[in-house]
């Protein structure tokens, strides 16, 4: 997955470089063409069908789209709902921080030796 994600990042970097010399009109035409292709794909899939994204595609889309404000994200034409993209981003962040937040040893931490000795002394002195 990491290799595929790196590949997506590199290819999209080259795509951004390709867009730099283009004018606004050319970019608008390309955006309209891409939106039309999404419409055709949705129509071919049907009403109940769902698009399956690979984990690296989810990670790339989540990293790319979460910088947009929520109201802009709702206006963007996507194959998935904006809430889904935000959930993907939350899952990414949860997995990223899961390793560092996990305790080294599971379970209750050991009791301090002096407290343990005090408890045992109280039990001996008061058996009831």
């Amino acid at each position: 997955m990491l290799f595929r994600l790196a590949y997506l990042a590199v290819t999209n970097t080259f795509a951004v470089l390709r867009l730099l010399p283009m004018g606004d009109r050319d970019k608008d035409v390309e955006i309209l063409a891409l939106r039309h292709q999404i419409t055709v794909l949705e129509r071919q899939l049907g009403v109940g069908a769902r698009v399956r994204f690979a984990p690296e595609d989810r990670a790339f889309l989540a990293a790319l789209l979460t910088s947009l404000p929520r109201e802009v994200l709702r206006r963007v034409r996507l194959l998935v709902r904006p809430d889904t993209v935000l959930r993907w981003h939350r899952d990414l962040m949860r997995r990223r921080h899961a390793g560092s937040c996990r305790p080294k040893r599971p379970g209750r931490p050991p009791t301090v030796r002096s407290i343990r000795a005090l408890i045992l002394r109280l039990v001996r002195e008061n058996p009831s």
Side-chain angles (χ1 to χ4, degrees):
M1 179 181 141
L2 192 60
F3 179 72
R4 174 107 170 109
L5 187 60
Y7 172 76
L8 284 172
V10 169
T11 55
N12 283 301
T13 302
F14 285 122
V16 167
L17 292 175
R18 184 182 62 86
L19 291 175
L20 287 178
M22 291 176 70
D24 287 342
R25 183 175 181 271
D26 297 336
K27 290 178 188 176
D28 291 341
V29 168
E30 185 173 353
I31 289 170
L32 287 174
L34 291 172
R35 285 182 179 175
H36 179 70
Q37 290 176 23
I38 290 173
T39 305
V40 169
L41 283 173
E42 287 175 340
R43 187 172 51 234
Q44 287 178 357
L45 283 175
V47 176
R50 292 176 41 178
V51 178
R52 304 275 186 221
F53 285 94
E56 53 273 0
D57 295 325
R58 290 178 181 182
F60 184 77
L61 281 174
L64 187 68
L65 295 174
T66 52
S67 62
L68 295 174
R70 190 174 277 233
E71 57 272 0
V72 173
L73 192 59
R74 292 197 189 284
R75 287 194 312 252
V76 174
R77 183 120 171 108
L78 298 170
L79 291 175
V80 294
R81 292 189 350 240
D83 295 334
T84 304
V85 174
L86 294 175
R87 188 190 74 226
W88 289 348
H89 186 261
R90 281 192 309 270
D91 292 346
L92 258 177
M93 292 298 110
R94 187 179 303 126
R95 263 186 271 133
R96 178 180 175 193
H97 296 293
S100 62
C101 296
R102 187 175 302 134
K104 303 293 183 222
R105 293 185 301 174
R108 183 177 174 192
T111 308
V112 180
R113 195 173 286 183
S114 60
I115 294 176
R116 190 178 323 134
L118 176 65
I119 292 172
L120 291 174
R121 192 189 85 202
L122 290 172
V123 167
R124 277 191 304 262
E125 291 174 2
N126 187 6
S128 62

